[in-house]
Amino acid sequence: MNSNPIIGCRYRRAANRCRWVLFTTLLYSAAHSATSFAQAPLNIDALMAARSELTLQVGYSFLTANDDVLVPLSLTPQESAVRQPPVQAILEQDIESGQWVSALRYGASNDLELRSTIRQRESRTRSPYQPSSTRRSTALALGGSWQVSRDQQTPALLLALDVDIAARSPLQDSEIGYGKAVRFNALSYRSLDPVVLSAQVGIEYFSSWRCDKIEFQPGNSASAKTQVSFAVNPEVTLIGGLGVQRSEPSEISGNEVYESATRISLTMAAGVALSRRSSLFLGTDVAASGPSAASINLEWLYQFEL
């Protein structure tokens, strides 16, 4: 343990900055649990790009959240030299986050899709008595989906795996990291015209990042989501769903700074067929438990004919 009070104070301030970044990053990830599949489409088969077909998928999500956060206060060098109980304050924190996702999906065969995805996030945090901060992150992921079975005698089953091959974290002055996140998803659906029932489970695994010589280890997470899609007519589909996500504790330099949590969210969305090859989805996710949060999601898909 470091006995120098000045160095110790600097360490606490750096750790506090990382805690703010950590809270923003994890809350945003909780409200936008990663998925390797598109929205439940007007045509359920569009979950997989057809053989030799190229699909462009572009999406934007905007999140707003509010929560009370317990923040350790930094002591002066003179105060830190004297043994005192830890001083903490409860602050109200407002978060606004936006994310762009662009993906190219190619049907390598009737049962195999390959894809590349670029994600760009920007988060703004505001709190009383604290300077506002803006954090940005970018990631390039490669992955694919495999259709294990089709919707016939048994429900359809799709498996997906994506890896962030290169990413820059929202931590200040972070370097590019490789293989920092791995995502696995399994989706099953049953079509009962005009209704499609689907269930999805996913796992996210994260490697650690470093900030000012402090190691930040995000907690891994698991999620489950059920969804009902109702085809009003061939051009319009209404979607409703319920999701649950469980996150493991996160640590900074071996100290737990964000405890494990379970979050429940409700999804409402609608899909519109703009043309034979173009679809647009608009939806919202609202937190049913945990920090107050809501997001608006917009997604556009276009299928190229090669």
Side-chain angles (χ1 to χ4, degrees), residues 7 19 46 70 78 90 116 129 142 151 211 227 256 259 267 269 289 297:
I7 295 178
R19 286 186 176 94
L70 190 63
Q78 293 77 15
I90 298 178
S116 62
Y129 316 111
L142 294 180
D151 185 13
C211 169
Q227 193 165 276
E256 184 176 312
E259 62 184 8
T267 298
S289 68
N297 313 299

Side-chain angles (χ1 to χ4, degrees), residues 138-260:
T138 304
L140 170 63
L142 294 180
S145 297
W146 173 41
Q147 182 148 21
V148 180
S149 64
R150 299 188 178 276
D151 185 13
Q152 295 173 349
Q153 287 82 8
T154 61
L157 176 62
L158 287 79
L159 302 179
L161 179 67
D162 290 83
V163 179
D164 285 356
I165 60 171
R168 188 181 294 277
S169 84
L171 302 182
Q172 188 174 8
D173 300 326
S174 70
E175 298 181 352
I176 295 178
Y178 304 96
K180 290 294 184 177
V182 177
R183 301 174 181 88
F184 172 78
N185 286 269
L187 172 69
S188 180
Y189 67 84
R190 168 68 84 180
S191 180
L192 304 171
D193 192 30
V195 174
V196 176
L197 306 177
S198 63
Q200 178 175 330
V201 295
I203 297 175
E204 290 185 280
Y205 173 80
F206 299 98
S207 299
S208 61
W209 292 88
R210 289 189 174 273
C211 169
D212 295 333
K213 298 182 180 180
I214 298 175
E215 185 178 19
F216 163 39
Q217 176 61 62
N220 303 323
S221 67
S223 61
K225 186 174 185 178
T226 59
Q227 193 165 276
V228 177
S229 303
F230 175 73
V232 179
N233 54 49
E235 287 75 34
V236 178
T237 296
L238 300 180
I239 303 168
L242 175 67
V244 180
Q245 184 180 49
R246 177 69 178 178
S247 300
E248 294 181 351
S250 297
E251 299 179 347
I252 290 182
S253 298
N255 298 315
E256 184 176 312
V257 293
Y258 198 88
E259 62 184 8
S260 60

Side-chain angles (χ1 to χ4, degrees), residues 49-157:
R51 182 184 180 91
S52 300
E53 182 181 77
L54 185 65
T55 298
L56 172 64
Q57 179 181 337
V58 179
Y60 178 74
S61 299
F62 178 79
L63 167 83
T64 178
N66 177 275
D67 192 31
D68 292 332
V69 185
L70 190 63
V71 180
L73 300 182
S74 299
L75 302 177
T76 64
Q78 293 77 15
E79 292 173 328
S80 62
V82 181
R83 295 181 60 88
Q84 295 184 359
V87 181
Q88 297 178 319
I90 298 178
L91 298 181
E92 185 179 88
Q93 182 168 255
D94 295 319
I95 299 172
E96 293 181 352
S97 296
Q99 174 177 256
W100 282 100
V101 177
S102 301
L104 279 176
R105 303 160 49 195
Y106 177 72
S109 69
N110 292 331
D111 299 320
L112 179 63
E113 173 188 289
L114 303 178
R115 64 178 160 269
S116 62
T117 306
I118 296 178
R119 296 191 312 276
Q120 295 177 304
R121 294 179 179 175
E122 180 175 290
S123 300
R124 296 183 180 89
T125 305
R126 301 182 183 89
S127 298
Y129 316 111
Q130 293 282 339
S132 61
S133 62
T134 300
R135 302 290 177 178
R136 298 177 179 87
S137 63
T138 304
L140 170 63
L142 294 180
S145 297
W146 173 41
Q147 182 148 21
V148 180
S149 64
R150 299 188 178 276
D151 185 13
Q152 295 173 349
Q153 287 82 8
T154 61
L157 176 62

Side-chain angles (χ1 to χ4, degrees), residues 277-306:
R277 292 187 169 273
S278 178
S279 301
L280 184 68
F281 295 88
L282 176 63
T284 181
D285 290 325
V286 179
S289 68
S292 174
S295 66
I296 296 177
N297 313 299
L298 181 65
E299 185 176 82
W300 175 63
L301 285 86
Y302 185 83
Q303 298 171 326
F304 296 93
E305 187 171 5
L306 302 181

